[in-house]
Amino acid sequence: PCTLLALSQAQAQPAGKDSAYPTRPIRVISGFPPGSSVDVLGRFMASRLADRLGQQLVIDNRPGASGTIGADIAARSAPDGYTLFIMTASQIMSVPIFKKLPYEPVKSFTAISPIGAGPLMLVSNPSFAPKTVKELIDLAKSKPDAVTYSSAGNGSINHYVGAMFGNAIGSRMLHVPHKGGAPAFLAAMAGEVNLMFATLPLSLNQIRAGKVKAFGITALKRSSLAPNVPPIAETLPGFEGTTWWGVVGPAGLPATILRRLNTEMVGILSHPDSAQRISAEGAEPLPMTPAEYQNFLQSELDKWTRVARDIGVRAE
């Protein structure tokens, strides 16, 4: 079901040359269930955009297949500015896994602006025996395919980083895909699977509450949000994994609407209060022009296609 975001300060917006848009509510498709990092950051951006655009934004959760179901709906929508899509790294990374997607991750969309980017956290149920990354590596190497890790689905960032970890230590772990990051995280928290490389928006509060154990972060340096959690790179030199979230529309979005949306998003990301809120969720604001974002999407596609080939990421 769709969720209607409250509109505030809408009537106070000054009229501009693009003031004819929008004249009705805007649908924002999320390819993952409520409670996921996509949902958390997408709802934040949608609420701020509602204030600036003077219209309601309706979050439409369409989970499944690592976000590709929602992406397909968005790609086939009219390019009129009234359907937007919260894209993540997973939509790009799914391409080598699902070779017959009904859309192209770059050409089928108009890049508007990223929201932010951030590392992942390797977490487990507190009762899982290893206490450090080294102990975990020793266990995984002694029992190939016995250590399990959950993900938001085949081709998701959690899937790739788990495969990268197994490749780096020279021992495969068993991938257990779920229908979204939130159910995958709950499975790890409950001990139904051993591990998850979880996004920070999903995991930080549960780490602080002691409900999950954090082994390491996939950044090269410690995070101020979890200063006691060491980088995995301290044990596996150079190990790093970063995800990102952004907003796109269907291909062919009119230039005036694209300019309006990008201007408003960059304005939101540049505001100190918004930047602080996004950073508190574990992401760094990442404003770009549409052209920069389009180039970024293509470079991400090239990068993860190489990674999939080099380490043999495949659907489970």
Side-chain angles (χ1 to χ4, degrees):
C2 300
T3 302
L4 195 61
L5 288 160
L7 178 64
S8 62
Q9 303 174 358
Q11 311 309 318
Q13 298 306 307
K17 63 180 180 180
D18 295 325
S19 58
Y21 168 82
T23 59
R24 54 187 166 90
I26 297 168
R27 177 171 66 154
V28 182
I29 297 174
S30 169
F32 294 91
S36 63
S37 59
V38 182
D39 205 57
V40 170
L41 292 170
R43 285 173 188 275
F44 168 75
M45 178 56 69
S47 68
R48 294 294 192 271
L49 273 174
D51 289 346
R52 287 175 169 252
L53 294 174
Q55 280 291 344
Q56 296 163 330
L57 275 80
V58 181
I59 298 290
D60 187 1
N61 294 96
R62 299 296 186 97
S66 296
T68 59
I69 292 173
D72 182 36
I73 295 169
R76 291 186 286 106
S77 298
D80 55 9
Y82 291 98
T83 299
L84 305 177
F85 179 63
I86 307 167
M87 183 173 275
T88 74
S90 293
Q91 276 74 67
I92 297 294
M93 301 164 88
S94 297
V95 176
I97 302 294
F98 304 106
K99 297 186 184 301
K100 294 184 178 179
L101 287 173
Y103 61 87
E104 295 187 51
V106 179
K107 294 180 181 178
S108 297
F109 298 97
T110 301
I112 297 171
S113 173
I115 298 172
L120 308 180
M121 195 76 79
L122 177 55
V123 300
S124 76
N125 179 282
S127 65
F128 187 46
K131 294 183 175 61
T132 64
V133 173
K134 184 181 184 308
E135 289 181 7
L136 171 61
I137 292 172
D138 290 342
L139 174 63
K141 292 179 77 169
S142 69
K143 297 180 178 180
D145 277 333
V147 176
T148 57
Y149 72 99
S150 60
S151 80
N154 287 307
S156 64
I157 182 70
N158 331 95
H159 179 195
Y160 268 78
V161 175
M164 288 164 57
F165 184 81
N167 185 68
I169 67 175
S171 182
R172 202 173 105 97
M173 300 190 301
L174 185 63
H175 172 225
V176 183
H178 289 71
K179 292 183 178 180
F185 184 79
L186 289 173
M189 188 164 68
E192 295 169 10
V193 294
N194 298 133
L195 302 166
M196 182 182 181
F197 284 90
T199 59
L200 267 62
L202 200 57
S203 59
L204 277 176
N205 286 338
Q206 305 305 328
I207 292 168
R208 291 164 180 160
K211 294 183 178 180
V212 293
K213 174 169 57 180
F215 285 95
I217 193 168
T218 63
L220 297 179
K221 298 180 180 179
R222 293 191 184 228
S223 168
S224 60
L225 297 173
N228 295 326
V229 180
I232 294 171
E234 288 185 4
T235 305
L236 283 177
F239 188 84
E240 186 178 17
T242 301
T243 191
W244 50 265
W245 305 264
V247 177
V248 300
L253 202 64
T256 53
I257 292 175
L258 173 59
R259 183 166 54 246
R260 175 80 191 276
L261 289 170
N262 176 263
T263 297
E264 300 298 359
M265 283 193 65
V266 170
I268 292 165
L269 294 170
S270 301
H271 194 281
D273 289 346
S274 298
Q276 184 177 17
R277 168 70 186 278
I278 292 170
S279 295
E281 294 288 356
E284 289 301 315
L286 193 67
M288 292 184 186
T289 66
E292 289 170 340
Y293 188 23
Q294 195 83 18
N295 290 336
F296 173 79
L297 293 177
Q298 186 61 54
S299 68
E300 283 286 284
L301 179 59
D302 295 342
K303 168 187 170 182
W304 292 112
T305 299
R306 287 194 303 271
V307 170
R309 181 187 65 236
D310 293 345
I311 69 175
V313 177
R314 62 182 185 273
E316 306 293 344

